[in-house]
């Protein structure tokens, strides 16, 4: 039980010293991704190897006075470099091993003694072939500034001691020592913008809730990260749950809430488990519950699981879900800050927003504003996925360009293909094209080009991606997830999806493009909630930047990327063709011509794609092409 | 003084709840589907969107009215969005207007016309959902539903039931009863308010016009019509006349022209009801038993009590409703007076109410195996029948009703408005208790449209406390307070529909529901004023009827023909839950886990029974099931062992149940040996 | 179907009651209670939903409405092996659909059905499991398989069936 800020500091010092006295800390990434690649087996093998070599090991971080100079081998949260998993890092040097297998355990442990890292497990840059020993030197990490993700991969998320050793709960201690209004002012001044997508200044929301008089207020953490391609919040919840608790504690104190909920989507069972464990530990240590740190402030947190609805990421739908109802958004006004959960003032903040709060209260407003841009200060996490060399989780200062992220950190496009576009912000976002590569990634710059940062999911696409199919895919997703309440979203997205399906099936007409825009405009302007309002974004932005590709589909009945099944084209591979003329004879529209014993040719304009020639050819010479 | 600028005009406002109301008050009819002043704000139809300066496009129904707002209601963009919303709705709608019951009064049709939607570029509705015509009162057509949610909210908020709710999500979303069962199989009390608020033909009143015509055309049948009080002040609306104006005289003429044999007044039977019910009340009041007494003329209320409050079934008045009293006396006595066999007498009632269709079909209301009321025609349906004939209703000459059942006092007429039954009963009770002639017949305290009215009346030193509620949610609330001992009354009048029967779902569809109801109510009070007599006990026809057939109120004959009894009713039809699959089982044991029995601990009983059956190793012979309501609610917990009913089975009676089961098993074995 | 051990096995009704005790008797307990039932029985039987409505004093139509709104809930029984193919953006871009088709073909699912006749397999798509770095992702009874291909997933199913045969 920690009963005062002084005690907390003392505890931190003792843990920090204990950590320094360790011979080494081994951190095995146990994020969902690495676990799927077998990192748990790697961890078990390491534990075994350590025992074999007679090294003292412990499950948790030890206090200075308990430390034996041994080794901790823990499972940490997501390191972020998913493409290279399973990942293992050795502290304090910060050596990073990639694609580790259980058989490598013995060598890793041996290396602890002899100081020579295991070379074959180090990261090798695919282009330059340069080998990197330290994690911090690897380009993927070098250009990152990890704040929300600071502890992910650096601590065992189940160990509250480890969190405290890294200055955990210091921000809360600071906050609790000042009047609540000052905490609000701090966050306001820091200009922390909501990291969930909207970019609305958190401090302003807090101000509103703080100013309302009520017998009960609530803080809710929105962990319903539903954007396909986004897993930042999951990583924070799994890898550093105490950070969220600390953030909510500070927020609760600021607005005068004594109760809070962490709403986690159903598809994240590990996050739920970690959060529940962290809550229980925090309660046991007196960091939650009554009279926290002896300040008289009481705060209780509960975990609520979602049940599989993307729309519950919308504030009022989330509230409906907690109340036990269908997750259908409610009309605003009234806004949740005034009348939210059970009609009480409620603040809903995204996981990442809350993850930034402790550091603002610990390191100060000036420190926070020192990175990023004036209108979008601080850092932002991005989930880099798709056709990029280094997929994974990154955190960079706001204002870095798309080029920086995709090429410098992401390592460029896979398989040496050409860059086509980057989808940013998930199904609510837009497409950025080559002309935007030097656009800074911040809230306002993106809004100006009709896109939005959203949650920070970045899906990189190459020339093999059909942008129309991508638009259709997003529309299908939104359609599936639409709650159905308001006409425009429910029926509008349905019809937009229908039209797009027609187009990729090769049945589209040029007039369909105008119709898409028309429906899209109404859905954007008139829908009840954010899901509806942003649902047409992928379609409208791709229509704007890739009009030619759409036209190819509807006018020329051709898919330039060679993806859409309804628009495939056939050609004869000259090297395989023996010139038997069978295909020409079965072609119903006489589109194939040639001389016997010489390669035949298909006239693409005449071809009706019936596939009869494919079936007829015994030599497999008729193939599908882009 | 608060003002806002709407389309450039400065408009002042005071207490309006939202911008929509201010805009409508300023003379602009902003369209809506899902907005109702009596219901919570839903905000889904997006038709009432406006452009608020500095804030963008918002729905007016949930934008609070603030001083200084600048609003545009009709920009090019707003028009485009509204039109698109309509086009999208129509694309998924069964557009066969010509054969739709609501053609001509459908809001979707109206707005589509108003906004000039001439082209639907999205094809047809792809799903063909089955039409639910299982209910006696209503028809549900999901293919016409625009998912505005009005029916969901009125059933949940005003009636406190919630028969209908949204299910599934997105474009698969639909409005349906639980588990997509038919209305007949769930808790619906047939009040029909869902149909009254439905903007399209998704929920309509069951149309029985064909049966009515068939009877009228059949020369061998004598068709006798009774007209409910509320009908006379609303039928005119179907013909362009103002609501509240009595058209009883024209109605009589029209019906005769159509071929009806006799035209009578339900208000006569209402006077009869006053006699029976007031006598019943005074008797209970004197002996202090079965109080408070609740009225029972509203069939939706009766079904509500049967389903949700079986413990007060004994408090309901045992009187039949005026409709059913009339039917009963017509078949039992009037047929004799006419000298025709009862099966040749056809009773058609014209009602403002959809639940009356259900009531007429109740088993208890039959004489010699035939229903006392043969068909119930709502005001809406009658309007159509008259239209069919081509009769120019508005210009008809009035004629009087037939005797003897065409004669009514004002007491019977005011039954149609909330507070009317109470006032009628007061007019009788007062005279009886005080022994003095009542001169001031108006009891203002029970008049008015608040959801709950409470009043006490002094009658020669005795105080009678009366409560009047309309809307079943209000009734449930009041009931809760009464059961908890927080409130006490002697007599409680409950009507399910807003404003009483004048607001029934069978009434003509009105654009201004609340205003129309109030006009109709006022119309009834005016009729009362114009009549010669205001007290049921003064009705000479009623008195001679008593003399001839029934003797006096509360007599044996009265009980046989004018009273009834009630029973528990299960809320939802469904399979029992099988606790074990025993194909060889010889005994079927059901434990009721419906709400009433559940609250009395039947789940614990089930658990113990299950354990004991297992322990005594008779599980192979026993099929153990948990059933959802066996309609023994007042006598629960209930266990059914094959067909033996065991009531009030507390935990201590488990051995008895086991004994009964083993007994049955033994008997089965014996049977098999033979 | 084998007879149930009445003495020792808890009935669905008792299970619901227990869940109500745990989460409370208020409307906000509905979703956690449904989640408990879904987890225990792998679907939501109608009678247990009716019972939940009784216990929480909610209209059955509302309980049905909540049960059909959330993707986690199923009103139909699921197969022994619940196979989920992630079709989130990253997985989609890395060709999750051919993997999905391969699974359906392998377990012989036709006609748009998602559960096999013998109730062995239920195959569904889900939108984003958050393991995007390993796209395309498939889970079988919550065990995660990353970087799947049609051949790889077919091999995994083969192995599962082999293990089944051995039991």
């Amino acid at each position: 039980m920690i009963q005062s800020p002084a005690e907390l500091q003392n505890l931190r010092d003792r843990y920090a010293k204990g950590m320094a006295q360790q011979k080494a800390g081994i951190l095995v990434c146990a994020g969902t991704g690495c676990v799927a690649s077998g990192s748990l087996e790697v961890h078990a093998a390491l534990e075994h190897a350590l025992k074999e070599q007679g090294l003292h090991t412990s499950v948790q971080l030890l206090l200075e006075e308990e430390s034996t100079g041994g080794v901790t081998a823990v499972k940490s949260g997501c390191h972020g470099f998913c493409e290279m998993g399973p990942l293992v890092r050795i502290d304090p040097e910060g050596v990073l091993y990639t694609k580790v297998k259980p058989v490598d355990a013995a060598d890793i442990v041996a290396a602890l003694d002899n100081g020579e890292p295991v070379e074959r497990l180090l990261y090798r840059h695919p282009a330059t072939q340069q080998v990197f020993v330290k994690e911090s030197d690897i380009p993927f990490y070098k250009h990152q500034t990890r704040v929300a993700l600071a502890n992910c991969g650096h601590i065992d998320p189940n160990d509250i001691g480890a969190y405290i050793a890294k200055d955990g709960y210091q921000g809360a201690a600071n906050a609790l020592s000042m009047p609540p209004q000052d905490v609000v002012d701090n966050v306001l001044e820091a200009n922390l913008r909501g990291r969930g997508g909207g970019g609305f200044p958190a401090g302003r929301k807090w101000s509103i809730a703080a100013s309302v008089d009520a017998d009960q207020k609530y803080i809710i953490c929105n962990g319903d990260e539903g954007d396909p391609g986004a897993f930042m919040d999951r990583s924070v919840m799994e890898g550093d749950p105490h950070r969220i608790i600390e953030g909510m504690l500070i927020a609760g104190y600021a607005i005068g809430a004594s109760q809070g909920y962490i709403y986690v989507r159903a598809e994240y069972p590990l996050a739920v488990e970690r959060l529940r464990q962290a809550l229980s530990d925090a309660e046991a240590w007196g960091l939650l519950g009554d009279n926290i740190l002896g300040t008289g402030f009481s705060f209780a947190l509960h975990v609520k699981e979602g049940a599989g609805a993307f729309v519950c990421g919308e504030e009022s739908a989330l509230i409906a879900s907690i109340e036990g109802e269908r997750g259908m958004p409610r009309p605003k006004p009234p806004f949740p800050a005034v009348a939210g959960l059970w009609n009480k003032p409620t603040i809903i903040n995204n996981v990442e927003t809350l993850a930034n709060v402790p550091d603002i209260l610990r390191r100060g407003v000036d420190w926070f504003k020192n990175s990023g841009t004036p209108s979008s200060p601080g850092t932002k996490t991005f989930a880099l996925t798709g056709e990029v060399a280094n997929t994974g989780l990154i955190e960079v200062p706001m204002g870095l360009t798309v080029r920086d992220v995709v090429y410098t950190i992401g390592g460029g496009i896979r398989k040496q293909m050409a860059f086509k576009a980057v989808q940013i912000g998930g199904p609510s976002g837009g497409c950025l094209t080559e002309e935007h590569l030097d656009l800074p990634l911040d809230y306002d710059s993106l809004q100006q080009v009709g896109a939005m940062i959203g949650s920070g999911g970045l899906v990189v696409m190459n020339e093999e991606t059909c942008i129309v199919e991508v638009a259709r895919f997003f529309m299908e997703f939104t359609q599936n997830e639409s709650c159905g309440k308001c006409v425009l979203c429910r029926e509008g997205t349905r019809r937009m999806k229908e039209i797009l399906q027609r187009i990729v099936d090769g049945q589209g007409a040029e007039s369909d493009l105008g119709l898409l825009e028309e429906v899209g405009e109404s859905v954007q302007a008139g829908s009840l909630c954010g899901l509806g309002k942003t649902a047409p974004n992928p379609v409208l932005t791709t229509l704007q930047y890739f009009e030619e590709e759409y036209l190819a589909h509807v006018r020329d009945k051709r898919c330039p990327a060679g993806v859409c099944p309804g628009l495939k084209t056939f050609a004869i591979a000259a090297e395989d063709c023996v010139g038997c003329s069978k295909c020409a004879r079965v072609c119903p529209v006489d589109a194939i011509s040639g001389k016997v014993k010489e390669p035949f040719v298909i006239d693409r304009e005449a071809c009706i794609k019936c596939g009869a020639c494919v079936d007829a050819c015994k030599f497999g010479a008729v193939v599908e092409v882009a | 003084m608060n003002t806002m600028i709407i389309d450039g005009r400065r408009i002042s406002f005071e207490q309006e709840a939202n911008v929509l109301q201010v805009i409508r008050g300023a003379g602009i009819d902003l369209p809506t589907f899902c907005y109702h002043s009596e219901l919570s704000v839903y905000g889904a139809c997006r038709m009432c969107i406006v452009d608020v300066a500095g804030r963008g496009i918002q729905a007016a129904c949930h934008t609070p009215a603030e001083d200084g707002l600048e609003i545009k209601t009709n920009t090019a963009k707003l028009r485009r969005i509204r039109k698109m919303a309509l086009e999208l709705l129509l694309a998924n709608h069964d557009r066969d207007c010509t054969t739709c019951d609501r053609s001509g009064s459908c809001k979707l049709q109206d707005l589509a016309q108003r906004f000039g939607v001439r082209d639907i570029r999205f094809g047809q509705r792809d799903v063909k959902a089955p039409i639910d015509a299982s209910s006696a009162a209503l028809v549900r057509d999901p293919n016409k539903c625009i998912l505005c949610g009005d029916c969901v909210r009125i059933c949940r908020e005003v009636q406190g039931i919630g028969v209908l709710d949204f299910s599934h999500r997105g474009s698969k979303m639909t409005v349906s009863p639980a588990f997509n069962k038919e209305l007949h199989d769930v808790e619906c009390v047939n009040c029909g308010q869902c149909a009254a608020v439905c903007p399209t033909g998704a929920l309509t009143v069951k149309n029985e016009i064909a049966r009515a015509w068939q009877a009228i055309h059949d020369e061998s049948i004598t068709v006798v019509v009774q007209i409910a009080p509320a009908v006379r002040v609303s039928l005119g609306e179907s013909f362009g006349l103002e609501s509240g104006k009595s058209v009883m005289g024209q109605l009589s003429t029209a019906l005769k022209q159509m071929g009806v044999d006799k035209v009578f007044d339900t208000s006569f039977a209402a006077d009869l009801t006053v006699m029976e019910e007031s006598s019943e009340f005074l008797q209970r009041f004197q002996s202090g038993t079965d109080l408070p007494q609740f009225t029972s003329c509203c069939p939706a209320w009766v079904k509500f009590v049967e389903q949700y409050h079986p413990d007060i079934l004994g408090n309901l008045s045992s009187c039949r409703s005026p409709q059913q009293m009339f039917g009963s006396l017509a078949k039992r006595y009037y047929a004799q007076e006419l000298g025709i066999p009862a099966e040749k007498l056809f009773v058609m009632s014209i009602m403002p109410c959809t639940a009356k269709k259900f009531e007429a079909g109740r088993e208890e209301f039959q004489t010699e195996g035939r229903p006392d009321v043969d068909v119930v025609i709502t005001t809406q349906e009658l309007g159509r029948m008259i239209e069919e004939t081509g009769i120019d209703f508005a210009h008809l000459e009035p004629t009087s009703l037939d005797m003897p059942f065409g004669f009514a006092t004002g007491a019977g007429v005011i039954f149609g408005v909330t507070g009317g039954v109470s006032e009628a009963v007061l007019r009788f009770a007062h005279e009886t208790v005080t022994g003095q002639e009542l001169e001031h017949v108006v009891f203002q305290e029970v008049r008015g449209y608040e959801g709950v009215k409470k009043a006490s009346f002094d009658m020669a030193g005795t105080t009678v406390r009366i409560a009047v509620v309309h809307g079943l949610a209000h009734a449930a609330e009041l009931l809760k307070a009464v059961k908890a001992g927080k409130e006490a009354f002697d007599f409680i009048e409950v009507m399910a529909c807003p404003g009483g029967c004048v607001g029934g779902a069978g009434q003509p569809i009105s654009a201004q529901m609340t205003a129309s109801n109030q006009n109709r109510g006022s119309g009834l009070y005016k009729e009362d004023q114009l009549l010669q007599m205001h007290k049921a006990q003064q009705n000479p026809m009623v008195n001679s009827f008593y003399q001839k057939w029934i003797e006096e109120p509360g007599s044996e004959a009265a009980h046989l023909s004018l009273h009834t009894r009630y029973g528990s009713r299960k809320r939802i039809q469904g399979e029992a839950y099988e606790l074990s699959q025993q194909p060889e089982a010889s005994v079927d044991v059901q434990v009721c886990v419906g709400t009433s029995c559940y609250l009395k601990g039947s789940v614990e009983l089930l658990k113990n029974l299950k354990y004991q059956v297992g322990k005594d190793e008779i599980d192979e012979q026993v099929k153990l099931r948990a059933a959802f309501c066996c309609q023994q609610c007042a006598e629960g917990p209930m266990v059914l062992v094959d067909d033996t009913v065991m009531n009030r089975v507390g935990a201590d009676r488990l051995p008895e149940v086991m004994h009964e089961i083993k007994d049955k098993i033994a008997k089965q074995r014996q049977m098999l040996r033979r | 179907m084998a007879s149930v051990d009445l003495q020792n096995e808890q009935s669905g009704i008792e299970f619901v009651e227990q869940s109500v005790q745990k989460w409370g008797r208020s409307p906000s307990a509905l979703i956690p209670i449904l989640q408990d039932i879904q987890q225990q029985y792998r679907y939501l039987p109608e009678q247990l939903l009716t019972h939940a409505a009784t216990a929480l004093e909610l209209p059955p139509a509302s309980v049905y409405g909540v049960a059909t709104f959330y993707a986690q809930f199923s009103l139909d029984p699921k197969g022994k092996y619940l196979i989920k193919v992630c079709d989130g953006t990253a997985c989609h871009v890395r060709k999750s659909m051919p993997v999905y088709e391969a699974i359906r073909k392998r377990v012989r699912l036709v006609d748009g059905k998602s559960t096999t006749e013998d109730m062995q397999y239920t195959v569904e798509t889900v939108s984003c499991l958050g393991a995007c770095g390993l796209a395309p992702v498939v889970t079988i009874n919550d065990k995660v398989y990353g970087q799947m291909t049609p051949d790889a997933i077919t091999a995994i199913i083969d192995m599962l069936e082999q293990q089944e045969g051995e039991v």
Side-chain angles (χ1 to χ4, degrees), chain B residues 159-161 189 299-309 472 476:
Chain B
Q159 304 299 41
I161 302 177
V189 296
W301 160 241
V302 169
K303 189 166 193 267
F304 184 80
V305 174
E306 289 177 324
Q307 284 173 184
Y308 294 96
H309 299 279
L472 294 172

mmCIF file of all heavy atoms in Angstrom, chain B residues 159-161 189 299-309 472 476:
data_model
loop_
_atom_site.group_PDB
_atom_site.id
_atom_site.type_symbol
_atom_site.label_atom_id
_atom_site.label_comp_id
_atom_site.label_asym_id
_atom_site.label_seq_id
_atom_site.Cartn_x
_atom_site.Cartn_y
_atom_site.Cartn_z
ATOM 1 N N GLN B 159 -46.786 2.831 -23.434
ATOM 2 C CA GLN B 159 -47.521 1.674 -22.919
ATOM 3 C C GLN B 159 -46.689 0.845 -21.957
ATOM 4 O O GLN B 159 -47.189 -0.072 -21.328
ATOM 5 C CB GLN B 159 -48.027 0.801 -24.068
ATOM 6 C CG GLN B 159 -48.883 1.530 -25.092
ATOM 7 C CD GLN B 159 -50.161 2.131 -24.496
ATOM 8 O OE1 GLN B 159 -50.164 2.697 -23.390
ATOM 9 N NE2 GLN B 159 -51.253 2.041 -25.216
ATOM 10 N N GLY B 160 -45.408 1.151 -21.841
ATOM 11 C CA GLY B 160 -44.581 0.453 -20.868
ATOM 12 C C GLY B 160 -44.410 -1.025 -21.160
ATOM 13 O O GLY B 160 -44.121 -1.807 -20.263
ATOM 14 N N ILE B 161 -44.595 -1.438 -22.416
ATOM 15 C CA ILE B 161 -44.509 -2.864 -22.719
ATOM 16 C C ILE B 161 -43.270 -3.189 -23.547
ATOM 17 O O ILE B 161 -42.407 -3.939 -23.125
ATOM 18 C CB ILE B 161 -45.770 -3.349 -23.460
ATOM 19 C CG1 ILE B 161 -47.007 -3.068 -22.614
ATOM 20 C CG2 ILE B 161 -45.671 -4.839 -23.742
ATOM 21 C CD1 ILE B 161 -48.295 -3.448 -23.292
ATOM 22 N N VAL B 189 -50.897 -6.100 -26.464
ATOM 23 C CA VAL B 189 -52.232 -6.010 -25.878
ATOM 24 C C VAL B 189 -53.253 -5.462 -26.865
ATOM 25 O O VAL B 189 -54.396 -5.198 -26.496
ATOM 26 C CB VAL B 189 -52.230 -5.146 -24.577
ATOM 27 C CG1 VAL B 189 -51.390 -5.801 -23.503
ATOM 28 C CG2 VAL B 189 -51.767 -3.740 -24.852
ATOM 29 N N PRO B 299 -60.044 -3.310 -23.285
ATOM 30 C CA PRO B 299 -59.526 -4.674 -23.452
ATOM 31 C C PRO B 299 -57.998 -4.734 -23.409
ATOM 32 O O PRO B 299 -57.415 -5.741 -23.017
ATOM 33 C CB PRO B 299 -60.036 -5.118 -24.822
ATOM 34 C CG PRO B 299 -60.944 -4.050 -25.295
ATOM 35 C CD PRO B 299 -60.713 -2.828 -24.496
ATOM 36 N N ALA B 300 -57.330 -3.660 -23.817
ATOM 37 C CA ALA B 300 -55.861 -3.661 -23.782
ATOM 38 C C ALA B 300 -55.401 -3.672 -22.333
ATOM 39 O O ALA B 300 -54.487 -4.398 -21.955
ATOM 40 C CB ALA B 300 -55.314 -2.436 -24.512
ATOM 41 N N TRP B 301 -56.083 -2.899 -21.504
ATOM 42 C CA TRP B 301 -55.772 -2.849 -20.076
ATOM 43 C C TRP B 301 -56.018 -4.218 -19.440
ATOM 44 O O TRP B 301 -55.217 -4.707 -18.665
ATOM 45 C CB TRP B 301 -56.611 -1.776 -19.402
ATOM 46 C CG TRP B 301 -56.783 -1.864 -17.917
ATOM 47 C CD1 TRP B 301 -57.957 -2.005 -17.245
ATOM 48 C CD2 TRP B 301 -55.763 -1.790 -16.912
ATOM 49 N NE1 TRP B 301 -57.742 -2.029 -15.887
ATOM 50 C CE2 TRP B 301 -56.401 -1.905 -15.656
ATOM 51 C CE3 TRP B 301 -54.385 -1.657 -16.935
ATOM 52 C CZ2 TRP B 301 -55.719 -1.883 -14.444
ATOM 53 C CZ3 TRP B 301 -53.688 -1.631 -15.720
ATOM 54 C CH2 TRP B 301 -54.356 -1.751 -14.494
ATOM 55 N N VAL B 302 -57.120 -4.866 -19.816
ATOM 56 C CA VAL B 302 -57.433 -6.167 -19.236
ATOM 57 C C VAL B 302 -56.348 -7.189 -19.579
ATOM 58 O O VAL B 302 -55.848 -7.909 -18.720
ATOM 59 C CB VAL B 302 -58.817 -6.673 -19.713
ATOM 60 C CG1 VAL B 302 -59.025 -8.130 -19.344
ATOM 61 C CG2 VAL B 302 -59.923 -5.821 -19.127
ATOM 62 N N LYS B 303 -55.940 -7.220 -20.850
ATOM 63 C CA LYS B 303 -54.884 -8.172 -21.254
ATOM 64 C C LYS B 303 -53.584 -7.821 -20.526
ATOM 65 O O LYS B 303 -52.824 -8.701 -20.128
ATOM 66 C CB LYS B 303 -54.696 -8.132 -22.754
ATOM 67 C CG LYS B 303 -53.778 -9.228 -23.289
ATOM 68 C CD LYS B 303 -53.896 -9.363 -24.817
ATOM 69 C CE LYS B 303 -53.262 -10.626 -25.348
ATOM 70 N NZ LYS B 303 -51.874 -10.494 -25.777
ATOM 71 N N PHE B 304 -53.347 -6.539 -20.347
ATOM 72 C CA PHE B 304 -52.154 -6.084 -19.639
ATOM 73 C C PHE B 304 -52.139 -6.635 -18.217
ATOM 74 O O PHE B 304 -51.137 -7.160 -17.745
ATOM 75 C CB PHE B 304 -52.156 -4.552 -19.621
ATOM 76 C CG PHE B 304 -50.941 -3.926 -19.019
ATOM 77 C CD1 PHE B 304 -49.775 -3.804 -19.754
ATOM 78 C CD2 PHE B 304 -50.969 -3.432 -17.722
ATOM 79 C CE1 PHE B 304 -48.644 -3.210 -19.198
ATOM 80 C CE2 PHE B 304 -49.837 -2.833 -17.164
ATOM 81 C CZ PHE B 304 -48.672 -2.717 -17.901
ATOM 82 N N VAL B 305 -53.290 -6.561 -17.542
ATOM 83 C CA VAL B 305 -53.374 -7.065 -16.171
ATOM 84 C C VAL B 305 -53.206 -8.580 -16.155
ATOM 85 O O VAL B 305 -52.495 -9.128 -15.322
ATOM 86 C CB VAL B 305 -54.729 -6.675 -15.525
ATOM 87 C CG1 VAL B 305 -54.868 -7.331 -14.162
ATOM 88 C CG2 VAL B 305 -54.828 -5.174 -15.394
ATOM 89 N N GLU B 306 -53.857 -9.255 -17.111
ATOM 90 C CA GLU B 306 -53.750 -10.715 -17.171
ATOM 91 C C GLU B 306 -52.306 -11.158 -17.351
ATOM 92 O O GLU B 306 -51.893 -12.186 -16.826
ATOM 93 C CB GLU B 306 -54.610 -11.249 -18.321
ATOM 94 C CG GLU B 306 -56.100 -11.152 -18.055
ATOM 95 C CD GLU B 306 -56.934 -11.615 -19.243
ATOM 96 O OE1 GLU B 306 -56.526 -11.364 -20.407
ATOM 97 O OE2 GLU B 306 -57.985 -12.229 -19.022
ATOM 98 N N GLN B 307 -51.538 -10.356 -18.078
ATOM 99 C CA GLN B 307 -50.152 -10.731 -18.353
ATOM 100 C C GLN B 307 -49.168 -10.288 -17.287
ATOM 101 O O GLN B 307 -48.213 -10.988 -16.994
ATOM 102 C CB GLN B 307 -49.706 -10.110 -19.696
ATOM 103 C CG GLN B 307 -50.270 -10.840 -20.882
ATOM 104 C CD GLN B 307 -49.976 -10.121 -22.200
ATOM 105 O OE1 GLN B 307 -50.424 -10.542 -23.232
ATOM 106 N NE2 GLN B 307 -49.215 -9.038 -22.171
ATOM 107 N N TYR B 308 -49.366 -9.097 -16.766
ATOM 108 C CA TYR B 308 -48.343 -8.519 -15.901
ATOM 109 C C TYR B 308 -48.724 -8.401 -14.432
ATOM 110 O O TYR B 308 -47.864 -8.288 -13.580
ATOM 111 C CB TYR B 308 -47.960 -7.126 -16.402
ATOM 112 C CG TYR B 308 -47.273 -7.141 -17.739
ATOM 113 C CD1 TYR B 308 -47.993 -6.931 -18.913
ATOM 114 C CD2 TYR B 308 -45.915 -7.387 -17.841
ATOM 115 C CE1 TYR B 308 -47.362 -6.961 -20.141
ATOM 116 C CE2 TYR B 308 -45.285 -7.409 -19.079
ATOM 117 C CZ TYR B 308 -46.014 -7.201 -20.217
ATOM 118 O OH TYR B 308 -45.398 -7.230 -21.432
ATOM 119 N N HIS B 309 -50.022 -8.354 -14.131
ATOM 120 C CA HIS B 309 -50.411 -8.153 -12.746
ATOM 121 C C HIS B 309 -51.534 -9.095 -12.350
ATOM 122 O O HIS B 309 -52.609 -8.642 -11.929
ATOM 123 C CB HIS B 309 -50.854 -6.688 -12.541
ATOM 124 C CG HIS B 309 -49.776 -5.703 -12.840
ATOM 125 N ND1 HIS B 309 -48.787 -5.392 -11.949
ATOM 126 C CD2 HIS B 309 -49.514 -4.984 -13.962
ATOM 127 C CE1 HIS B 309 -47.969 -4.509 -12.502
ATOM 128 N NE2 HIS B 309 -48.379 -4.243 -13.723
ATOM 129 N N LEU B 472 -50.658 3.000 -20.640
ATOM 130 C CA LEU B 472 -50.400 1.889 -19.719
ATOM 131 C C LEU B 472 -49.131 2.091 -18.900
ATOM 132 O O LEU B 472 -49.017 1.526 -17.813
ATOM 133 C CB LEU B 472 -50.353 0.564 -20.495
ATOM 134 C CG LEU B 472 -51.694 0.167 -21.107
ATOM 135 C CD1 LEU B 472 -51.541 -1.040 -22.007
ATOM 136 C CD2 LEU B 472 -52.710 -0.120 -20.008
ATOM 137 N N ALA B 476 -48.993 1.454 -14.972
ATOM 138 C CA ALA B 476 -48.035 0.587 -14.280
ATOM 139 C C ALA B 476 -47.361 1.331 -13.136
ATOM 140 O O ALA B 476 -47.158 0.790 -12.047
ATOM 141 C CB ALA B 476 -46.994 0.080 -15.273
#
